[in-house]
Amino acid sequence: MIFDTAGFLSGLQNSFDKVFTTPLVIEEVRDLHSMGTLSFSMITNKVIAMEPSPSAMKKSGNGAEGD
């Protein structure tokens, strides 16, 4: 499962075995409750933050502007 900020703000990461997101999304989570549950999920390796590859960005349409 891939999450944006809304998934973490609603606490949905606990509904899945593994959740992937980007470091930018992690930075957007700022309220104390969401930060606490997100931190726990990251410590227990339920949430993996990583940058998408250039090819993944291109496939999603976000990186296709220069083409």
Side-chain angles (χ1 to χ4, degrees), residues 7-59:
F8 295 113
L9 295 179
S10 61
L12 290 175
Q13 71 270 19
N14 297 318
S15 301
F16 300 95
D17 292 331
K18 261 318 171 202
V19 174
F20 294 89
T21 193
T22 66
L24 182 60
V25 168
I26 299 295
E27 290 177 20
E28 292 175 348
V29 177
R30 297 179 188 226
D31 72 275
L32 290 178
H33 178 74
S34 297
M35 285 173 54
T37 58
L38 175 58
S39 293
F40 181 76
S41 296
M42 290 184 76
I43 289 169
T44 58
N45 293 317
K46 285 187 75 159
V47 173
I48 309 296
M50 55 192 284
E51 292 291 343
S53 68
S55 64
M57 291 295 291
K58 191 170 186 174
K59 286 179 185 176

Side-chain angles (χ1 to χ4, degrees), residues 57-58 60-67:
M57 291 295 291
K58 191 170 186 174
S60 73
N62 293 332
E65 285 184 23
D67 295 339

